Amino acid sequence: MSVKSLKLNNGNLMPEIGLGTWKGDESGALVQTIKTAVDLGYRHIDCAPAYGNQREIGKALKEIQVPRKELFIVSKLFENSHRPEL
């Protein structure tokens, strides 16, 4: 899969297109979806604590055969979660 990339400040190239994980649940479908996406060439996985599916994402990442350094696991924080004491 050929996808345009964004050059980050550290020189790494991050694919512009990523797999969204919103609405993934504990049925096992999200784990399989992530594994299939990575098999198809996805290297950018978009996540957020608000989705509540961290366990499934972690399980999928443990099961794939791609080195972690080749993946971009991206997350978002709500504006009220930016302070370290939260």
Side-chain angles (χ1 to χ4, degrees):
M1 178 168 70
S2 180
V3 175
K4 287 184 181 181
S5 296
L6 302 168
K7 187 170 185 177
L8 303 177
N9 290 340
N10 63 5
N12 286 318
L13 296 174
M14 181 179 77
E16 287 184 0
I17 298 175
L19 175 73
T21 60
W22 183 56
K23 296 253 184 173
D25 59 24
E26 296 180 11
S27 70
L30 180 58
V31 173
Q32 189 56 50
T33 298
I34 293 170
K35 290 167 59 176
T36 299
V38 170
D39 286 346
L40 291 172
Y42 278 80
R43 295 297 183 262
H44 176 173
I45 312 293
D46 179 63
C47 313
Y51 301 168
N53 54 16
Q54 297 92 328
R55 182 169 293 145
E56 292 74 29
I57 294 166
K59 183 175 181 350
L61 294 176
K62 286 181 183 177
E63 294 179 10
I64 62 174
Q65 301 298 313
V66 173
R68 173 61 182 90
K69 66 182 181 180
E70 293 182 19
L71 299 172
F72 291 86
I73 311 301
V74 180
S75 191
K76 298 169 284 302
L77 293 174
F78 277 111
E79 61 276 353
N80 65 353
S81 299
H82 288 228
R83 296 190 333 240
E85 65 274 11
L86 294 178

